[in-house]
Structure formats: C-alpha cells, structure tokens
Amino acid sequence: MGIPLRVLMVEDSEDDATLLLRELRLGGYDATFERVDTPTAMSAAIDGKQWDLVICDYSMPNFSGAAALKLLRGKGVDVPFIFLSGTIGEDTAVAALKQGAQDYIMKDNLKRLLPAIRRELDEAEQKRERRRLERQVQQLQKFEAIGVLAGGIAHDFNNALGVILGWAQLAYAELPEASPTRLKLQMIREQAESTARLTKQLLAFARRQVLQPQNLDLNEVVTQTKQLLQSVIGDQIEFNLKLAPDRQVVRADASQVEQVLMNLCLNARDAMPDGGRLVLTTGSVEIGEDFCRMHSYGSPGPYVLLEVSDTGLGMDAATLDRIFEPFFTTKEMGRGTGLGLATVYGIVKQHGGFVNVYSEPGQGTTFRLYFPLGTGALERPRPTVAGEIRSGNETILVADDHEQLREMARHTLTAQGYRVIPAKNGQEAVNLFMTNSTEIRLVVLDVSMPLLNGRDAYTKMQAIAPDLSVIFTSGHSAESASLESNIQRGAAFLQKPYDLETLRRVVRDTLDTKSS
C-alpha cells in the first residue's frame, strides 16, 4: 500500500496525465486524482474536494497555468502548486514562482518531479503544524485573558453576594416562624446562592479557586459519582464503567473532580435525547515528547486518564473550537449557561492536567482528561459532624477590607459568645495582633487585602505565635498554590460567599482542633 496522495491535475493531455500518474505510483504514492482543463471544471473540483497537491500544465488551449494558479489562491486554498510543462521558459518560470507556485518541472526532466513533490509536501505539513500550534497558543492566550477578567468579576460578585446572603440569613433567623417576611428573605437567599454557583463556575474557568487536594483513587470517585448520577441520566441511556484494575491515584480536590464528571455526564445525556451509551473509563498513560510536540498544552510524564465517551449527536469542527469558551452554548435559550465545559477546562488545568476532545457530527463525543499521577498513600476526607454548634468565649481577630462582610462576621461571632477584634486591612491586623497576641486564639483573614495580604499577615503573626490557628477567606485567589500549602499544613479555608452557619462551624472546629 503506497502513501495516500490526492492530486488535482490541471492538464489537457490525457496521455500526459497517465504518464504523471505512473511516475507517482513508481515513487510510492497511492494517488487518487482528478484531471481538469477548464476554469469551470477546476473551480468545481476545488469546491468539491480537498487536495494535497496541484500539478498544472502551463500552456493549454482553453486555460493557462497562470490563470489556474490565480483561481486556486483566490479561493484561499494553500496547497503546493507545481507547474509541469514542456514550453515554459526561465523568465516565465520565475514569474510563476513570484505569483505563488512552489516549483516548475520540465516534462523532459521528470526525475526532478518526485523530489520536488516530497519537499513541498513536507513543507506544507510543517506549515500546517505551525499554524495549528499558533492557533493553540492564541486560544490559550484568549482563555488566559478571559480568565483574568472572569476572576476579577467573580471576586467582586462574591463579596457583594456574601453581604446579601449573610444579612438575609441573620434577618431570617431573627423573625418568628409565622412571619410572611421570612419567605421573602428565603427567596433572596436562594437567588444569592444560585448566583454564587455561577461565580464559582467562573472561578473554576479562571483557575482562581483554592483547591484542597488529597491523594484520591480516581476509580472510587468515578464509582461514587456514577451512583449519584444514575437516576439523573435515565434508563434510556446505557451507563457503564471501564475502570483500570489497579488503583489510579491522583492528587486532586475530590469535589472538583466530581464537578467535572457531573458536567460531562449531564452534557452527554443532553446529547442523546433518544438514548445511547455513556462510558466512563480510567487508566494510566505515559505522555512523551512526540505527543507534546503535537499538543502544545501537554507536558511529558505519567498521567491518570479519565475518559467520558457518548454515542450522541457529536459536534462539528467550528463548535469544537469554541466549546471551552465561557457562555458559549449550543443549547436553546434557558437550558444552559455555557459555563459547564469552561468549568471542566479550568478545573483540569488548575490540577496541572489537560483535556482533549474528539467528536464528529453523528458520531458521538469523547473527552479525555489527563491528571498528573499522584504519589503516596490514599487520604480520606474528614467527615463533617452535624448537630448544634457550640458557642465559645475565645478572642478572634477578623480582618477583611470589605466593611459589610467584616461587620457581618463580627455580629455573627459575637452572638456566639466570642470576643471579636475587627481589622480593615492586613497591616492593621498585624498591629492589633501584636497588641493582643496573648489573648487572640484564632485569626480569620481575607486573602486579598490592601497594604498587606492575608497570607503575609499570617506569616508575621506566626513569628510571634507559631501555633496560631487561622481561617483564610477569599472571593478568589491568584495565589492559590501558596495558599494551598498553608491548607496542607492545617489552615482552614472558607470560599466566599459563605453562609453564617458554615462560618460558625468552621470557627468552632478550628478552635477545638487546636485545643485537642
């Protein structure tokens, strides 16, 4: 079997075309071709098929080689174009090259033909590869710019939502159960929580979330998520697992991986309105240099593969180019926000992995997610203990540059019996701590504050009290990696907007953990 080659021959002589085809086959090519000799026939051939190469006679009774070259380039087709002629002169040949031809071959010197074809095909492949890599880089740059914008918007929204949610929650708790105002406040809370979920998705795309990673067995996460989704996917879809026989350890935030799976599985369900098959697959792969040369977003090394495959409607190339853009959706109005796949992209990227997508219209879709291989023993998340939250009398320093959030936290914790010292920025927090270091048992620090950020403020406080307990809060964090290292060493974290019960519980749990 020869090398496949699609050749458009612009040639008025059938005998010359047969001779040319013979040369190609002797050179190891399995050529499929079409011969044309008029502008109309050539235009139809260009519009109807894709070609790897155009070989053109220069002088024909009803068509000229120069006109053929102009027609090809005028349609935006950038494939190698080689003149093959018995009459072309040197000046004409030079003019043809200036017009965009790649080479010219004399019919009495066909030994130059095959080397010229190999050279031009190689150069065309290199050019396509450069363009593909340039598109990847441009897409990554675009996503990065959108991510910075999305992260900033989410930060401001989360602060505002925290105020709305918190004061509504406080007012709700203070009203008698029979009060009609309670229902209105509950509706405000529910809408604020719904909007908070959208900002959380924006943060995921922007890679501004603070992850709380652990060594997880991906097989367990996939199995548990399937159990959660089984009833939602429906009976008309065959839902199967193909799990690797051994543990697939990844260093990841379990809730985020679960979010990825849920988004992809629900998208797959929507793509199979008449039923079909959904398969989740896990396995280990080694990514090498060759793969990375083809995919600029990959890095060499061992990965755990998570594959989500469906037999649904599939997607065309234009849709595939945009699926990870925030707010891009192919669903009808009201059926999707366009943030699901953007969230998937951001979560996997923030974990140090990458995503490949394979799809064709009518042929289904396969998402392949690559997570860096984890090392070490598996970890189990500590379960949250339900029940009434104990009050306390400890002294707590609360620092947040948003006045309403700071006041809301002070009001909530004071009502629980704590003594609260408020601070409006990181530097003031450090100064207040130095004055009251023997009394303060816990600091609650916003990560992003003027003068001194929360993480640096905590470092200065630790120099005075190395065992000081801390809870970091954030609407987003551009310093998520360094903050995650603090969390690994025992710091607690609250993602804004948080509800007040969560604040009370995390404060009590943090104080009790330090005293135990």
Side-chain angles (χ1 to χ4, degrees), residues 259-276:
Q259 184 67 52
V260 164
L261 274 169
M262 294 182 72
N263 286 353
L264 292 178
C265 290
L266 293 176
N267 269 11
R269 177 203 61 185
D270 294 343
M272 297 184 286
D274 299 320

Side-chain angles (χ1 to χ4, degrees), residues 34 39-49 51 71 75:
E34 183 174 341
T40 302
M42 182 176 179
S43 182
I46 294 170
D47 292 339
K49 296 179 183 177
W51 303 100
L71 175 62
K75 287 181 174 289

Side-chain angles (χ1 to χ4, degrees), residues 286-336:
E286 183 76 27
I287 298 300
E289 297 287 351
D290 290 342
F291 181 95
C292 296
R293 278 192 289 270
M294 293 294 292
H295 304 84
S296 61
Y297 44 77
S299 300
Y303 287 82
V304 173
L305 171 66
L306 171 59
E307 183 176 286
V308 180
S309 181
D310 68 62
T311 58
L313 300 172
M315 294 175 280
D316 59 22
T319 302
L320 280 173
D321 281 343
R322 299 189 61 193
I323 57 170
F324 294 125
E325 292 181 14
F327 306 112
F328 174 77
T329 179
T330 58
K331 297 177 181 178
E332 62 191 54
M333 185 70 71
R335 287 204 61 206

Side-chain angles (χ1 to χ4, degrees), residues 3-163:
I3 303 169
L5 183 66
R6 298 166 296 184
V7 185
L8 178 59
M9 298 182 188
V10 188
E11 173 63 70
D12 63 316
S13 169
E14 189 172 343
D15 289 341
D16 285 353
T18 301
L19 180 62
L20 174 59
L21 189 59
R22 177 177 175 274
E23 288 293 321
L24 292 174
R25 287 171 177 165
L26 288 174
Y29 292 104
D30 181 15
T32 57
F33 75 99
E34 183 174 341
R35 183 178 69 85
V36 298
D37 59 3
T38 66
T40 302
M42 182 176 179
S43 182
I46 294 170
D47 292 339
K49 296 179 183 177
Q50 288 188 327
W51 303 100
D52 300 315
L53 176 69
V54 177
I55 299 179
C56 181
D57 194 356
Y58 191 80
S59 180
M60 295 169 285
N62 301 313
F63 203 13
S64 74
L69 177 59
K70 185 177 180 180
L71 175 62
L72 182 76
R73 298 300 184 230
K75 287 181 174 289
V77 180
D78 189 22
V79 299
F81 188 104
I82 296 176
F83 280 118
L84 183 63
S85 177
T87 60
I88 192 170
E90 184 175 340
D91 291 342
T92 306
V94 171
L97 293 175
K98 288 182 179 179
Q99 292 167 4
Q102 272 64 48
D103 207 342
Y104 69 91
I105 309 292
M106 301 304 293
K107 288 185 177 179
D108 61 0
N109 188 21
L110 286 181
K111 65 182 181 181
R112 284 194 60 237
L113 179 62
L114 292 174
I117 289 174
R118 283 192 290 268
R119 182 188 68 242
E120 296 308 328
L121 291 176
D122 287 344
E123 289 188 5
E125 177 58 31
Q126 292 172 13
K127 187 184 294 186
R128 283 193 295 270
E129 177 64 12
R130 285 196 298 272
R131 288 175 179 170
R132 187 185 62 77
L133 292 174
E134 286 169 2
R135 285 196 301 271
Q136 285 184 359
V137 170
Q138 288 168 359
Q139 187 178 51
L140 290 173
Q141 290 173 339
K142 177 177 68 175
F143 281 0
E144 187 64 31
I146 296 173
V148 171
L149 175 63
I153 291 172
H155 175 260
D156 292 340
F157 264 60
N158 279 337
N159 277 338
L161 287 169
V163 172

Side-chain angles (χ1 to χ4, degrees), residues 158 161-170 189 193 196 389 405 408-409 412-413 494-507:
N158 279 337
L161 287 169
V163 172
I164 295 169
L165 188 62
W167 288 119
Q169 194 171 352
L170 286 171
R189 289 173 60 186
E193 288 167 355
I389 304 168
L405 286 175
M408 186 181 67
T412 300
L413 296 176
L494 276 175
Q495 176 71 57
K496 294 179 181 180
Y498 48 80
D499 67 66
L500 301 184
E501 182 180 353
T502 301
L503 173 63
R504 290 190 289 263
R505 187 176 298 281
V506 171
V507 164

Side-chain angles (χ1 to χ4, degrees), residues 300-486:
Y303 287 82
V304 173
L305 171 66
L306 171 59
E307 183 176 286
V308 180
S309 181
D310 68 62
T311 58
L313 300 172
M315 294 175 280
D316 59 22
T319 302
L320 280 173
D321 281 343
R322 299 189 61 193
I323 57 170
F324 294 125
E325 292 181 14
F327 306 112
F328 174 77
T329 179
T330 58
K331 297 177 181 178
E332 62 191 54
M333 185 70 71
R335 287 204 61 206
T337 62
L339 285 172
L341 291 179
T343 301
V344 168
Y345 173 87
I347 290 173
V348 176
K349 290 288 287 183
Q350 192 171 358
H351 277 83
F354 57 95
V355 186
N356 277 342
V357 190
Y358 306 87
S359 187
E360 292 182 25
Q363 301 299 313
T365 300
T366 297
F367 284 86
R368 290 179 181 160
L369 285 58
Y370 298 82
F371 291 94
L373 182 67
T375 57
L378 294 179
E379 300 172 68
R380 305 288 178 184
R382 189 175 66 179
T384 300
V385 179
E388 186 175 345
I389 304 168
R390 287 195 306 110
S391 59
N393 58 8
E394 293 92 340
T395 300
I396 302 172
L397 172 64
V398 176
D400 197 308
D401 62 313
H402 196 290
E403 181 180 359
Q404 288 290 318
L405 286 175
R406 189 172 65 248
E407 175 59 21
M408 186 181 67
R410 186 200 65 76
H411 185 283
T412 300
L413 296 176
T414 300
Q416 285 291 108
Y418 302 107
R419 177 192 172 214
V420 178
I421 301 174
K424 61 179 176 292
N425 59 59
Q427 187 57 60
E428 184 180 54
V430 171
N431 294 341
L432 287 168
F433 182 79
M434 292 174 68
T435 304
N436 301 276
S437 61
T438 57
E439 302 171 32
I440 294 173
R441 293 291 174 266
L442 171 69
V443 291
V444 181
L445 303 173
D446 186 20
V447 175
S448 300
M449 291 187 291
L451 300 183
L452 196 64
N453 65 48
R455 188 176 58 83
D456 290 342
Y458 179 59
T459 300
K460 290 180 178 293
M461 295 175 191
Q462 270 193 310
I464 301 169
D467 293 331
L468 178 66
S469 296
V470 62
I471 300 171
F472 289 110
T473 70
S474 178
H476 91 293
S477 178
E479 301 177 311
S480 57
S482 58
L483 191 54
E484 285 162 21
S485 67
N486 283 103

